[in-house]
Amino acid sequence: MGRPRTPAGRARETMRRLAEEYPEAHCELDHANAYELLVATILSAQCTDARVNQVTPALFARYPTPEDLASARPEDVEELIRSTGFYKNKTRNLLGMAAALTERFGGEVPGAMEDLVTLPGVGRKTANVVRSVALGLPGLPVDTHVLRLAKRLGLTTSSDPVKVEHELNAMIPPAERGPFSLRLILHGRRVCVARRPRCEACVLADFCPKVGV
């Protein structure tokens, strides 16, 4: 094909090529349901997925439902999640989130963005993770990798994650938004790394404008 010349064209070709490059892309936070993924994603703030996955088995065993977590003692939760960092603030968010699910949503994780972002500790990125991974709904989480690669590929000029999300949504079909985000993240970790991009190994190199270089 010819070199795509517009942001939308580059987005579509990026989506196509990364789907071939990373067919195995999946969320690396271990979870069995939407509640567990919501908890894990809150814990993942400024923490690695691997560390979160070490902490959550004991947490979920002790508090398997939002109702259980809502009635937990803060000091008990703090002890379980201490190694994820910022554990006091995360505990407040977890208990507040669980209480809100119990009191306002019948113990179920809502699917609507406008409902999810009312939960303590939940912004658009977390909401989009839960929507796209656990609930099968359109959602394009914009983390630091997605933001960086979207700018480098010339898909956006914005540094605002919400604006970038909306711009990418206009270019990516709803069903592909979650997988597209996961694949950009993988590509950012494995090839287009921040400090020294491996352009010689990049499947997007022939049309990437390399914005910022």
Side-chain angles (χ1 to χ4, degrees):
M1 64 162 287
R3 174 176 172 147
R5 299 181 180 277
T6 66
R10 287 193 293 274
R12 288 191 295 270
E13 186 61 11
T14 297
M15 178 182 69
R16 186 187 71 78
R17 294 192 191 184
L18 293 188
E20 294 180 353
E21 188 75 2
Y22 307 109
E24 82 288 1
H26 65 278
C27 177
E28 296 184 350
L29 291 169
D30 295 339
H31 64 282
N33 53 52
Y35 158 68
E36 290 188 359
L37 181 58
L38 183 53
V39 170
T41 307
I42 290 172
L43 289 176
S44 70
Q46 296 180 283
C47 180
T48 66
D49 291 352
R51 170 60 63 181
V52 173
N53 290 339
Q54 292 174 6
V55 165
T56 49
L59 185 68
F60 296 151
R62 188 158 183 178
Y63 309 110
T65 70
E67 293 84 355
D68 295 318
L69 185 57
S71 61
R73 296 195 312 166
E75 56 268 30
D76 292 338
V77 176
E78 288 175 2
E79 189 60 33
L80 286 168
I81 70 168
R82 183 181 297 268
S83 64
T84 68
F86 303 96
Y87 62 93
K88 288 187 178 292
N89 187 55
K90 288 179 181 180
T91 293
R92 284 193 296 271
N93 285 335
L94 288 176
L95 297 183
M97 175 274 293
L101 289 184
T102 302
E103 295 164 7
R104 293 196 279 125
F105 299 104
E108 299 293 328
V109 176
M113 174 66 74
E114 56 266 30
D115 290 331
L116 283 165
V117 295
T118 67
L119 302 173
V122 178
R124 290 189 67 90
K125 183 180 79 170
T126 295
N128 276 317
V129 169
V130 173
R131 279 172 56 86
S132 61
V133 174
L135 300 177
L137 298 169
L140 204 161
V142 177
D143 76 343
T144 55
H145 292 293
V146 173
L147 186 63
R148 177 170 58 81
L149 266 65
K151 292 182 71 174
R152 184 171 171 82
L153 287 161
L155 309 183
T156 181
T157 59
S158 178
S159 297
D160 182 324
V162 176
K163 290 182 179 178
V164 172
E165 177 195 338
H166 290 312
E167 289 181 43
L168 294 178
N169 280 348
M171 297 184 266
I172 303 297
E176 295 297 324
R177 290 170 188 167
F180 180 72
S181 173
L182 288 170
R183 288 168 179 142
L184 278 180
I185 292 168
L186 275 180
H187 196 62
R189 288 174 175 171
R190 297 180 182 180
V191 178
C192 192
V193 293
R195 292 188 177 181
R196 192 183 295 272
R198 297 172 52 229
C199 296
E200 73 284 356
C202 181
V203 297
L204 312 175
D206 61 307
F207 67 86
C208 175
K210 301 178 178 60
V211 176
V213 176

